[in-house]
Each structure stands twice: as structure tokens, then as C-alpha cells.
Amino acid sequence: MKKSIALLLLLTPLWVHGAPKPKELLKEVNSNKAQRLADYNSVFLQKTLYFSRRHRIVKANTKLLLEEDEFTITPFDDVESLHVITEPSKTQQRQGDMFHFKAHVVMDSDTPFAQMFPNFSFLIGAYAWDLNESGEALTSISNRFTHSTYWNIDEFGSPVLETPPDGVSAIAGPPPESPEDIERHKRLKKLKKHQFFSVSATFYSLDGKKYMLMPLKYTPKYSVIHEINTTELSFMRFEADPDGLDHRSDEDKMKSTRHKNFLKTLPDEEGKIVKGDIQ
């Protein structure tokens, strides 16, 4: 009983008690910028949105994710906003190269959706990105230092220890020694670390529609939010039938063939630069 009361208090909207209304996670991107982002991510969007009813380009307010425990998510203007409270709270670590947390949806307990899913929640994930000197974005998790950042590489390619603020050089540990380690350390020292986070989530609105928030593949500072056309996913086979036979209807098999043929028409973008932003 006490646990139920505690959960109810947790999911009670703070703003009904006079506090400011929670801020919105998804920030609008102006139409000109959104079009340029869509053009640069055209192939990715064509693949991603094949099963979508509608979409829009947005920028997730990552400052909100890092500093607040309560906010709203509004997929589209005509969709009721989800009011969420996060777990773990901001007092727990929400930084580093990546983090994930659970978002509990605050609902009116009298609604049919709340009665069916009284503890409705979903996961939100965020990945940090670094920028190199040319503005190319690289995942921070792939650029972790293996040697202390107090080690610098001089003009002759040799490691030189920078004096730490407290003057204790022993905390630096061993320097990079092999040519490969030295070159990697030198490259990492030039990066601008944790310049932005990409954000992803999959969730349902209070009327049962499914939405996905996905970072744009080649400009992950921005995202696409789209409504999934679940009826069009019926033909997808994620595992083989127990008897090894394909029991889908002829119509679903035709849908699958059309989808495969569509994917074959898209160009290969291997090696395309992931950018921190576009002008």
C-alpha cells in the first residue's frame, strides 16, 4: 500500500501545485533548416520513413534531459503531449559518453489508456558526440582516452607531461608509447569533446499510436520524430515460422517484395561524412 502511494506521489504533475509547467523536449527546427537537413539525410529518411504516416525534423533539448526530471513530449501539434517524470533522477549520473533512463508517463487514472497501462513508461537514450577540426562528428564512446589527458604530444611526436593543477604527476600514469598510440592520443587531444547528444526513444501516445524519435544519421544533433503505420508492418517477418515455411498471405509477400525492391533503388552512402551541423 505504501509503495502504491509513493508511486502515485511520484507521478503527480508538479505543475498542478503551482510550479511552472514542464518544458517541452522537442524543439522546432525552422523550415529552411529542416529542408537542408532532410536533403543531406535523404537516403536515411527514405529507409526510415517507409512505414511512417508522417514525420517532422526536430532538435531534442538535451539540456533539459541533463538537468530536469520532468518534461513533456509532443510528437505533433494535434497529438496530446506526454507528461513524463524520469528515473533515475538528475541527482544520479546523467553524463559521460552515453546514458539511458526510464520516462514514466503521468496520466489521468480515469482514462481507458491509464486503466490498461497504469505504469506506462519507456526508455530514452542519449549518446555524446565529439567534433574534429573540420566539423566532422564522431561518437564520444569511440574516442575514449586510454592515457591521461595530462600527456601532450610535442612537435617531435614525443609525449610530454603537463603539470596537473595539484602538482602530483603520478596520477597521469604511463604515457602513450607505440607510434599508433601516440598518433591516436594526439588526434583525440584535438577533438572538441561532448559537443552535443543524439537522442532516441520509442513510445505510444495516449490514443495508442506509436512514435519513434531517431537521430538523423548524418547530422545526429537533430532528430526525426515519426508516426509508425503499424498496419503496413504486418508483412515483416522477424523470425522464421516453427515449421520453416512462410505462412504469410500473398498480399503480405507482395508488400515484402516491394519493400526489398525499393531498398535496392537507394544509393550506397558508405563513407559519407557525419556532420556536427549544416549551414
Side-chain angles (χ1 to χ4, degrees):
M1 179 65 177
K2 291 182 178 179
K3 186 175 180 181
S4 299
I5 294 174
L7 181 60
L8 179 62
L9 291 174
L10 172 67
L11 297 182
T12 299
L14 300 182
W15 53 269
V16 301
H17 301 300
K21 188 175 180 180
K23 297 178 182 178
E24 170 63 35
L25 176 65
L26 304 182
K27 300 169 68 175
E28 194 71 37
V29 176
N30 73 66
S31 58
N32 290 334
K33 181 69 171 282
Q35 186 58 57
R36 293 195 297 274
L37 290 167
D39 291 342
Y40 193 66
N41 293 274
S42 175
V43 174
F44 163 75
L45 287 173
Q46 289 180 74
K47 290 180 181 179
T48 301
L49 302 176
Y50 188 87
F51 302 111
S52 298
R53 294 184 186 277
R54 54 178 173 167
H55 72 279
R56 66 185 179 106
I57 305 296
V58 296
K59 182 181 178 184
N61 185 350
T62 51
K63 188 174 187 292
L64 194 62
L65 293 183
L66 292 167
E67 299 179 359
E68 301 290 339
D69 290 336
E70 184 178 19
F71 50 87
T72 59
I73 302 179
T74 310
F76 296 92
D77 290 341
D78 61 348
V79 178
E80 183 177 354
S81 299
L82 292 182
H83 176 193
V84 303
I85 295 177
T86 64
E87 177 192 334
S89 71
K90 66 183 178 184
T91 58
Q92 296 175 277
Q93 188 176 32
R94 200 179 288 177
Q95 55 187 357
D97 294 335
M98 59 174 287
F99 60 85
H100 293 79
F101 56 86
K102 186 177 291 187
H104 294 279
V105 179
V106 180
M107 297 177 287
D108 182 344
S109 59
D110 293 332
T111 63
F113 191 91
Q115 291 171 3
M116 291 178 63
F117 306 101
N119 298 316
F120 180 44
S121 62
F122 58 93
L123 290 177
I124 297 178
Y127 286 80
W129 291 75
D130 306 330
L131 295 180
N132 64 18
E133 294 174 300
S134 63
E136 180 180 356
L138 308 154
T139 54
S140 299
I141 199 170
S142 65
N143 291 315
R144 290 178 173 174
F145 283 96
T146 52
H147 301 275
S148 171
T149 56
Y150 289 130
W151 287 107
N152 291 322
I153 308 301
D154 67 15
E155 58 185 306
F156 304 107
S158 300
V160 177
L161 185 62
E162 172 187 334
T163 303
D166 57 9
V168 182
S169 61
I171 64 172
E177 295 179 334
S178 71
E180 293 78 15
D181 281 350
I182 289 174
E183 187 58 36
R184 182 176 187 274
H185 190 79
K186 183 178 179 181
R187 178 178 63 81
L188 296 184
K189 290 280 287 186
K190 293 180 179 179
L191 293 177
K192 295 179 179 179
K193 301 292 289 181
H194 290 194
Q195 293 300 290
F196 64 88
F197 282 86
S198 58
V199 181
S200 59
T202 299
F203 56 92
Y204 288 85
S205 59
L206 298 181
D207 60 357
K209 293 185 174 64
K210 185 176 181 179
Y211 296 91
M212 291 186 72
L213 176 68
M214 299 179 65
L216 295 175
K217 185 173 182 178
Y218 297 107
T219 50
K221 184 177 182 178
Y222 302 88
S223 303
V224 58
I225 178 79
H226 57 114
E227 181 183 323
I228 304 299
N229 185 352
T230 53
T231 58
E232 283 300 308
L233 286 171
S234 62
F235 69 83
M236 297 292 286
R237 299 178 73 226
F238 299 100
E239 58 183 30
D241 293 315
D243 58 7
L245 300 176
D246 187 346
H247 295 285
R248 292 175 300 170
S249 67
D250 289 341
E251 181 182 1
D252 282 348
K253 290 177 183 177
M254 289 178 61
K255 288 181 179 179
S256 179
T257 299
R258 284 198 299 270
H259 181 230
K260 290 177 181 178
N261 290 338
F262 169 74
L263 294 179
K264 289 177 182 178
T265 66
L266 300 177
D268 181 8
E269 293 193 302
E270 184 178 355
K272 188 171 183 175
I273 295 175
V274 179
K275 296 183 176 182
D277 210 330
I278 60 173
Q279 300 302 316

